[in-house]
Amino acid sequence: MNEETIRRRATVHDVARAAGVSLATVDRVLNGRPGVRAATAEKVEQAIAELGFARDLNASLMARARDLSVVFFIPDGSNEFMDSLAEAVHRRSPLALADHIHLDLRRVRALDAAGLAESLSQLAPRECDCAVIVSSDEPEVLAAIDAAQRRGIAVMTLVSDLPASARRNFIGIDNVAAGRTAASLMGRFLPQGGKVAVVAGSLHLRDHAERLDGFRAALGAEFPALEIIGPLEGHDERTETAEIITALLAEHADLGGLYNLGAGNAGLVSALEASGRSGNLRVIAHELTAPTRAGLASGAIDVVLDQNPDGEIREAIAAARALALDASRVAVTDPIEIGIFLRDNLR
Amino acid sequence: MNEETIRRRATVHDVARAAGVSLATVDRVLNGRPGVRAATAEKVEQAIAELGFARDLNASLMARARDLSVVFFIPDGSNEFMDSLAEAVHRRSPLALADHIHLDLRRVRALDAAGLAESLSQLAPRECDCAVIVSSDEPEVLAAIDAAQRRGIAVMTLVSDLPASARRNFIGIDNVAAGRTAASLMGRFLPQGGKVAVVAGSLHLRDHAERLDGFRAALGAEFPALEIIGPLEGHDERTETAEIITALLAEHADLGGLYNLGAGNAGLVSALEASGRSGNLRVIAHELTAPTRAGLASGAIDVVLDQNPDGEIREAIAAARALALDASRVAVTDPIEIGIFLRDNLR
DNA sequence: TTGTGCATGAGGTACGTGCCTCATGACATT
DNA sequence: AATGTCATGAGGCACGTACCTCATGCACAA
């Protein structure tokens, strides 16, 4: 490789020289500090564009006094998947710290939009560069996101998107595709056709609604011999889910398949095992957690679709890192893939 | 959070102070340079351990003149999966460069152990910090790996491991689990039992042999009603694979399933489509590439098991970064998960 | 004219590490 | 005793950015 082909990355010095201004002015422009005339700022922006200058994130993090700080707001409560997200944050913490990224985990009450909005609005830009939230679609939250963005805090949505907000990024799976995948598997599991029951947490949750849409569409298009029973709602609660499923099995002795697209899997497994029907019933559930693992192991559940919490946290951190420097751009992240788990390829 | 609870990361200065030596000596110990008595080095090591000192990778990369350089040796030839690995390297390149990591891609002749060994032995530690190779298990390669390690070049295996070598890390999937997963899916696809044919590239390839082991074991244990035909070997070649499968379909009109655990998928798909049997034959193949995507779309293939080339490259880079500083340790990486793809959840 | 405020330049220190030179003292070899 | 070798200290420059202070010059208004 020739020396000529190796072009040094442009630095602030290069930008200053090209724009005919001093380092201080470049710094003011880069960091949005006041004291620069519009015309001068324009010259600097142009030099940045011409040189293809990009800040060196590592040098930047080293120079500034405090680490980059990312705050995760994860719902509390009985949802095991949210616990696994929280654990993933803890697991990543030391690794992130080595890269000057400080992770902060705050558990918030599940489905408490007002509480989440309040927490968001109390974030000071000095102590938080990026907030990552799991939230349902409520106006208070949207407003709080927009306000935080204006204060200079990048906000990202995790698991469930809020496309109508000013959120900078979404990290999560394509839930419509997840529903289609469940249908595609179920169809192949039941080549003779039959009845398939669908249980959701609540259809007011965006993830759940999208999964149902995908499931219905794919089943209708590819496996017309299958009849859908439901959807029934178990509100992601183990006892309620167990009751629903017990009743379902009693009513439909010829049920061929069951798709639980929400949580409450502990109830699902206990109901299935109590019924004595596991084995001749194909069951698909979501999220690889303690109850679904137990279900896979016992044979009560055939397939678990999973959104890989560790991967989501990893990508959220990567996105936060990228966003920290480019206040304007949307970070490019690796997409989160839908994991499909059977008893034989458990993580 | 109290000031007291925030403990600054230990730096070389702290280590020097704690060990009662100068910065220069700490530097000599850290970078393995000569000129330090064993007793003194011991004091330094101890101080490092006590303080839990870890080099700041970013500062380190900034301070040294050249970027971290990672060289990928990817087999050339007609294997589409290898092409997708190469593309993944290209896709990552700009991102890695922003982190002071320079990626170098070298295509080598597939299955040419002597050539790969020669290339490895020509690597100078000045121009390569870490080599990533995809190789079969040959003595020349093992020797070249050991030699490179001794020269200070970290070597990692990708896709196919060489556990008997001095390789520092392996990035890839658990192929036995992949085979089990294929069996588990096939068993559920064929509840009435029947015949399942297995086609491999070559059973001398470690990946393929492991997949076959897993497939056989899981099928035997969980689905005794299924009978295995084969394995037949298509040598990862499209024409040979097509011929084998055409013959197979002619001989076994009642074939219920087909598992191609190697490459040559273009031949698989063309043979299936020519036979007019796709649709009533459950087919599982490996690696999401152009031919397998086409097969999924046309319905010739039901499921593709994939090892996520982009994820593998990402983890290889992360591991190389980690290894660059800890000449002693094995890097911890996120495991590569086996992707399961149907027509409905394509990447 | 003087004051006020703003845009900008100049230059410094700091972050943590790599890598270099030079000086010094201890010890061994001839 | 002279010479050489080696371990070590001291210190500096560099990487690219953040962030600070101070000075300067200019425009506009009182």
Side-chain angles (χ1 to χ4, degrees):
Chain A
M1 216 179 292
N2 292 334
E3 317 250 341
E4 314 160 42
T5 65
I6 301 178
R7 207 170 306 152
R8 247 184 52 259
R9 296 185 54 184
T11 74
V12 278
H13 296 271
D14 302 325
V15 173
R17 205 177 315 119
V21 300
S22 76
L23 272 183
T25 301
V26 175
D27 183 69
R28 291 183 185 111
V29 173
L30 280 178
N31 296 295
R33 281 184 261 274
V36 182
R37 241 186 327 212
T40 312
E42 177 56 33
K43 278 197 303 183
V44 174
E45 301 284 10
Q46 197 180 325
I48 288 175
E50 275 172 13
L51 295 173
F53 167 81
R55 259 195 275 216
D56 185 321
L57 179 48
N58 297 325
S60 156
L61 285 177
M62 189 157 60
R64 69 160 160 201
R66 58 194 193 80
D67 281 1
L68 195 68
S69 113
V70 182
V71 182
F72 288 86
F73 292 93
I74 308 281
D76 211 335
S78 64
N79 191 326
E80 309 225 8
F81 172 67
M82 296 304 167
D83 292 343
S84 65
L85 273 179
E87 286 159 21
V89 172
H90 280 132
R91 266 193 295 277
R92 278 280 155 186
S93 235
L95 217 57
L97 211 53
D99 276 333
H100 298 279
I101 300 178
H102 178 257
L103 306 187
D104 200 349
L105 173 64
R106 308 203 186 156
R107 301 301 293 264
V108 296
R109 274 186 45 203
L111 297 176
D112 176 9
L116 176 58
E118 173 67 11
S119 302
L120 266 181
S121 68
Q122 283 178 355
L123 279 180
R126 295 231 58 110
E127 53 169 4
C128 169
D129 302 277
C130 178
V132 183
I133 66 173
V134 180
S135 171
S136 50
D137 193 343
E138 310 284 348
E140 304 102 296
V141 177
L142 297 195
I145 292 176
D146 294 9
Q149 285 281 158
R150 277 194 299 275
R151 289 203 306 281
I153 297 175
V155 180
M156 306 172 35
T157 48
L158 184 64
V159 175
S160 187
D161 196 12
L162 300 175
S165 73
R167 61 106 179 100
R168 296 287 299 282
N169 234 281
F170 166 61
I171 306 286
I173 60 170
D174 177 344
N175 283 298
V176 178
R180 283 202 310 267
T181 303
S184 185
L185 283 166
M186 193 61 89
R188 286 177 176 73
F189 289 164
L190 302 172
Q192 308 95 330
K195 294 181 185 173
V196 179
V198 176
V199 177
S202 159
L203 294 177
H204 292 138
L205 293 169
R206 174 179 283 262
D207 331 1
H208 294 196
E210 288 180 348
R211 288 173 190 168
L212 178 61
D213 288 348
F215 188 78
R216 273 202 177 120
L219 213 64
E222 293 188 64
F223 305 97
L226 285 176
E227 177 197 351
I228 295 184
I229 309 286
L232 303 171
E233 293 179 292
H235 300 105
D236 289 353
E237 258 242 303
R238 55 173 302 170
T239 46
E240 193 174 349
T241 304
E243 285 164 15
I244 281 180
I245 289 171
T246 303
L248 203 56
L249 294 178
E251 189 179 350
H252 302 276
D254 58 341
L255 198 66
L258 180 56
Y259 176 36
N260 181 27
L261 56 80
N265 284 305
L268 169 75
V269 173
S270 65
L272 284 172
E273 288 176 351
S275 76
R277 284 214 40 197
S278 60
N280 60 357
L281 184 67
R282 298 281 78 84
V283 178
I284 301 180
H286 272 268
E287 313 311 349
L288 202 57
T289 58
T292 54
R293 278 175 186 274
L296 283 174
S298 77
I301 297 178
D302 292 272
V303 175
V304 170
L305 303 181
D306 182 78
Q307 54 184 316
N308 190 0
D310 284 272
E312 290 185 332
I313 298 302
R314 180 192 63 226
E315 292 304 322
I317 295 170
R321 213 173 100 98
L323 288 182
L325 288 199
D326 266 297
S328 57
R329 231 173 22 195
V330 171
V332 183
T333 59
D334 287 4
I336 305 295
E337 296 190 348
I338 302 165
I340 303 182
F341 291 94
L342 294 87
R343 185 196 300 174
D344 307 280
N345 67 329
L346 281 179
R347 176 149 55 210
Chain B
M1 216 181 291
N2 290 334
E3 316 250 342
E4 315 161 41
T5 65
I6 301 178
R7 207 171 306 153
R8 246 184 53 260
R9 295 185 55 183
T11 74
V12 278
H13 293 85
D14 302 325
V15 173
R17 204 177 315 119
V21 299
S22 76
L23 270 184
T25 301
V26 174
D27 184 70
R28 291 181 185 111
V29 172
L30 279 179
N31 297 295
R33 280 184 263 274
V36 181
R37 243 183 328 205
T40 312
E42 176 56 32
K43 277 197 305 184
V44 175
E45 301 284 10
Q46 197 179 326
I48 288 176
E50 274 172 12
L51 294 174
F53 168 80
R55 256 196 275 220
D56 185 320
L57 179 47
N58 295 326
S60 159
L61 284 177
M62 190 157 59
R64 69 165 167 196
R66 58 195 193 79
D67 281 0
L68 194 69
S69 113
V70 183
V71 182
F72 288 86
F73 292 93
I74 308 281
D76 210 335
S78 64
N79 191 326
E80 308 224 11
F81 172 66
M82 295 306 166
D83 293 343
S84 65
L85 274 179
E87 286 159 22
V89 172
H90 279 132
R91 266 194 294 277
R92 277 281 156 187
S93 234
L95 217 58
L97 211 53
D99 276 334
H100 297 279
I101 301 178
H102 177 256
L103 306 187
D104 200 349
L105 173 64
R106 308 202 186 157
R107 301 302 293 262
V108 295
R109 276 187 42 205
L111 298 177
D112 176 8
L116 177 58
E118 173 66 11
S119 302
L120 267 181
S121 67
Q122 283 177 356
L123 280 180
R126 297 231 57 110
E127 53 170 3
C128 170
D129 302 278
C130 179
V132 183
I133 66 175
V134 180
S135 171
S136 50
D137 193 341
E138 310 286 346
E140 304 102 295
V141 178
L142 298 195
I145 292 175
D146 293 10
Q149 285 280 159
R150 277 193 301 274
R151 290 204 305 283
I153 298 175
V155 180
M156 308 173 32
T157 49
L158 184 65
V159 174
S160 186
D161 196 12
L162 301 175
S165 73
R167 62 106 179 98
R168 298 287 299 283
N169 233 281
F170 166 62
I171 307 286
I173 61 170
D174 178 343
N175 283 296
V176 177
R180 283 202 309 268
T181 303
S184 186
L185 284 166
M186 194 61 89
R188 286 179 176 73
F189 289 164
L190 300 172
Q192 309 94 331
K195 294 180 184 174
V196 178
V198 176
V199 178
S202 159
L203 295 176
H204 293 137
L205 292 169
R206 172 179 285 263
D207 329 2
H208 294 196
E210 288 180 348
R211 288 174 190 168
L212 177 60
D213 287 350
F215 188 78
R216 271 202 177 119
L219 213 65
E222 293 188 63
F223 304 98
L226 285 176
E227 176 197 352
I228 294 185
I229 309 288
L232 303 172
E233 291 179 292
H235 300 104
D236 287 353
E237 259 242 305
R238 56 174 301 171
T239 47
E240 193 174 348
T241 305
E243 285 163 16
I244 282 180
I245 289 171
T246 303
L248 203 58
L249 294 178
E251 190 180 350
H252 301 276
D254 57 340
L255 198 65
L258 178 57
Y259 176 35
N260 181 28
L261 55 79
N265 284 306
L268 169 76
V269 173
S270 65
L272 285 172
E273 288 177 351
S275 77
R277 285 214 41 195
S278 60
N280 61 357
L281 184 66
R282 298 281 80 83
V283 178
I284 301 180
H286 272 268
E287 313 311 348
L288 202 57
T289 58
T292 54
R293 279 175 185 274
L296 284 174
S298 77
I301 298 178
D302 293 90
V303 175
V304 170
L305 302 182
D306 181 81
Q307 54 184 316
N308 191 0
D310 283 274
E312 290 185 330
I313 298 302
R314 177 185 39 151
E315 291 304 323
I317 295 170
R321 213 173 101 96
L323 288 182
L325 289 198
D326 266 297
S328 58
R329 233 177 14 198
V330 172
V332 184
T333 59
D334 286 4
I336 305 294
E337 297 191 347
I338 301 165
I340 303 182
F341 292 93
L342 295 87
R343 185 195 300 174
D344 307 280
N345 67 328
L346 281 179
R347 174 149 53 211

